[in-house]
Amino acid sequence: MKKRHFHEDEAEINITPMLDVVFIMLIFFIVTTSFVKETGVDISRPSSSQAKQVKKGNILVAIKEDGVIWINKQEVDLRAVRSRVEKMHAENPEASAVIIADRGSRTGDLVEVMDQIKSAGVESISIAAEKGQG
């Protein structure tokens, strides 16, 4: 009598295609994610009934109520605003600037920051406001 030997093949699940799909999805989500730039401080913006959303506000400058200026989550002296904005403008020549001034900040601070940004070569400057009613 012949003995039959049955080899039970170990059942394996090949997860390589699943890992490929997960890796491709990860790359897709990283590429399609839009990164939001922040100034690094909380600002209480004034409201305006004429406020519009700006699509390309790449240079964000915040002015706090006490006159402190923030760019890219760093406190910046007024005299350093121009050089910082020039550097950011050199990296992206089509960038526009958005000034986010606290409603309690001084108008003089806002005008001085605008002058610094304008002297840095940025042509498009906007002032952030919240859409109000009316």
Side-chain angles (χ1 to χ4, degrees), residues 18-33:
M18 182 182 70
L19 291 175
D20 290 342
V21 169
V22 170
F23 183 66
I24 290 172
M25 287 175 54
L26 178 66
I27 292 172
F28 173 76
F29 288 124
I30 290 173
V31 170
T32 58
T33 301

Side-chain angles (χ1 to χ4, degrees), residues 11-16:
E12 287 185 24
I13 298 175
N14 189 358
I15 62 169
T16 305

Side-chain angles (χ1 to χ4, degrees), residues 7 9 11 16 24 26 48 58 62 76 87-88 93 97 99-100 106-107 109 117 120 126 133:
H7 290 294
D9 291 333
T16 305
I24 290 172
L26 178 66
S48 171
N58 298 339
V76 177
K87 180 181 175 191
M88 295 171 74
I99 301 173
I100 307 168
R106 295 177 340 130
T107 306
D109 293 338
I117 294 172
S126 302
Q133 300 197 5

Side-chain angles (χ1 to χ4, degrees), residues 14-66:
N14 189 358
I15 62 169
T16 305
M18 182 182 70
L19 291 175
D20 290 342
V21 169
V22 170
F23 183 66
I24 290 172
M25 287 175 54
L26 178 66
I27 292 172
F28 173 76
F29 288 124
I30 290 173
V31 170
T32 58
T33 301
S34 62
F35 296 99
V36 177
K37 292 187 176 183
E38 298 278 333
T39 58
V41 292
D42 291 327
I43 300 291
S44 174
R45 291 185 259 171
S47 62
S48 171
S49 61
Q50 301 298 317
K52 297 177 189 173
Q53 185 172 359
V54 176
K55 297 290 182 193
K56 284 189 170 181
N58 298 339
I59 302 172
L60 300 177
V61 181
I63 305 172
K64 290 182 67 174
E65 187 174 8
D66 57 358

Side-chain angles (χ1 to χ4, degrees), residues 85-129:
V85 171
E86 281 177 346
K87 180 181 175 191
M88 295 171 74
H89 187 59
E91 292 172 2
N92 187 359
E94 296 179 6
S96 63
V98 177
I99 301 173
I100 307 168
D102 194 282
R103 69 173 40 136
S105 63
R106 295 177 340 130
T107 306
D109 293 338
L110 176 65
V111 171
E112 289 174 359
V113 169
M114 287 179 76
D115 285 342
Q116 292 292 317
I117 294 172
K118 196 74 163 172
S119 65
V122 178
E123 295 298 321
S124 177
I125 302 173
S126 302
I127 300 172

